């Protein structure tokens, strides 16, 4: 649970987002401990107490810590093999920067292996642990894969829903416990609380990966438990499902399996609906002047709240015409180009371009422009001013 009170008042010299960025008192904190290690192989103990002490020494950060999120993402250290891969990764990063700027979140992009053995899908765990230690001011670390794109730039996570949980992933209990499927959740996007429970989970989770002397054995255990797993080596997603399946009493009450909206959504069932979704949102705006009103980007969340009143009939998830929060291009591998053979490569790249432009239009509109064609990133059109004159003060 949160260790700070967001309602507590502070009086200090402020900068940035209402916090004091120019003060680091001389009081000793965990950063001064010579035993502190950011390494995935060295566990952190008493993290809740250490983090609380740091926040006590930095009251301007403590005031809003329970709602503060740091988004963490990344990619490989070398140039992409796929000719358009680096361009897609750049736009993917821009997409996340746009979302974070709109909501006031910090973002960290990593393109190095922080542990030489923890590559591929395991590379995220060393980064997430390091981010927790580097950002004691944040209650949540939000990992988002490089091939996962924000496609609802207004939507804000319902953090109150997760107040009694420490990890949020897109998943379905029945697929874990009844079907025993290795796709019963997706570990490419997850929200993890910055607390000791999470530190312990990351330690246990990582020890099913390449740093473990039993790495090969873990792969065999996973395949024998989850018969639909496609490859022999242990992976982070199946490892997390295994912990939920085998140790339900220890983990289930702390992990929120979000299935009510597209916490991350499978691109194949989404990207063909962007045009229809755009039209549905425009139809709402034609009858809602407050949504058409031009406004500063910094107050975008207010307009997202306005819009919710008109989206009740849209539903959520599969089949909904609501914008998906995140469209996840699983299997496309835009950097190395080795896309899943069940997809055509062009459908992957075109799908990503459509998703990026669909999201970009939500940002560009605040700057006065849009992409009229979701498949042509180079063309923009000016957005006409259509807020009724008789509804304004002029």
């Amino acid at each position: 649970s949160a260790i700070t009170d967001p309602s507590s008042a502070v009086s200090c010299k402020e900068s940035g987002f209402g916090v004091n960025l120019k003060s680091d008192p001389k009081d000793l904190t965990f950063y001064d401990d010579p035993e502190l290690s950011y390494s995935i192989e060295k566990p952190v103990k008493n993290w809740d107490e250490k983090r609380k002490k740091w926040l006590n020494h930095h009251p301007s950060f403590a005031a809003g810590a329970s709602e503060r999120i740091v988004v963490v993402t990344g990619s490989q250290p070398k140039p992409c093999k796929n000719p358009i891969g680096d361009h897609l990764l750049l736009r993917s990063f821009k997409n996340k920067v746009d979302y974070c700027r709109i909501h006031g979140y910090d973002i960290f992009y990593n393109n190095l292996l922080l542990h030489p053995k923890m590559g591929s899908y395991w590379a995220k765990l060393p980064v997430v642990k390091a981010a927790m230690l580097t950002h004691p001011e944040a209650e949540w670390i939000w990992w988002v894969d490089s091939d996962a794109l924000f496609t609802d730039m207004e939507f804000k996570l319902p953090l109150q829903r997760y107040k009694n949980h420490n990890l949020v992933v897109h998943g379905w209990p029945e697929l874990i416990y009844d079907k025993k499927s290795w796709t019963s959740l997706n570990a490419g996007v997850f929200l993890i609380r910055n607390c000791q429970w999470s530190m312990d989970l990351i330690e246990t989770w990582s020890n099913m990966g390449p740093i473990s002397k039993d790495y090969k054995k873990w792969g065999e255990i996973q395949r024998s438990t989850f018969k639909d797993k496609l490859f022999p080596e242990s992976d982070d997603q199946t490892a997390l499902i295994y912990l939920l399946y085998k140790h339900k009493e220890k983990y289930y009450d702390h992990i929120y399996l979000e299935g009510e909206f597209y916490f991350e959504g499978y691109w194949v069932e989404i990207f063909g609906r962007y045009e229809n979704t755009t039209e549905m949102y425009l139809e709402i705006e034609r009858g809602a002047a407050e949504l058409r009103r031009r406004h500063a980007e910094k107050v975008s969340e207010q307009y997202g709240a306005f819009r919710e009143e008109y989206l009740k009939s849209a539903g959520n998830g599969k089949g909904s015409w609501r914008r998906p929060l995140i469209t996840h291009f699983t299997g496309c591998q835009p950097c190395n180009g080795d896309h899943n053979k069940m997809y055509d490569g062009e459908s992957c790249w075109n799908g990503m371009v459509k998703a990026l432009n669909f999201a970009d239009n939500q940002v560009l509109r605040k700057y006065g422009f849009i992409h009229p064609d979701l498949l042509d990133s180079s063309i923009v059109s000016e957005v006409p001013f259509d807020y009724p004159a008789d509804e304004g003060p002029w």
Side-chain angles (χ1 to χ4, degrees), residues 67 140 155-170 191 193 253-263 308 316 322 325:
E67 298 287 314
W140 298 98
F155 189 89
K156 195 168 185 178
L157 288 178
L159 292 182
Q160 186 63 20
R161 185 185 299 181
Y162 314 135
K163 64 181 180 179
N164 297 320
H165 298 82
N166 296 327
L167 179 69
V168 183
V169 291
H170 199 199
L191 186 72
R193 192 182 295 278
D253 288 342
H254 298 279
I255 298 176
Y256 195 103
L257 297 172
E258 181 61 86
E260 292 185 36
F261 66 91
Y262 277 127
F263 188 73
E308 281 301 313
N316 276 296
R322 180 189 287 263
L325 172 60

Side-chain angles (χ1 to χ4, degrees), residues 1 20-21 27 39 69 115 128 158 174 215 261-262 292 303 318 325 344 359 365:
S1 61
N20 190 348
L21 301 177
D27 307 80
S39 171
I69 294 174
H115 190 290
V128 169
E174 64 275 11
Y215 179 51
F261 66 91
Y262 277 127
R292 299 201 307 277
Y303 291 84
K318 192 171 183 177
L325 172 60
D344 174 75
R365 284 187 64 181

Side-chain angles (χ1 to χ4, degrees), residues 226-237:
F226 306 101
K227 304 296 185 182
D228 61 345
K229 180 172 162 60
L230 299 176
F231 47 93
E233 67 268 17
S234 172
D235 69 285
D236 67 315
Q237 179 168 296

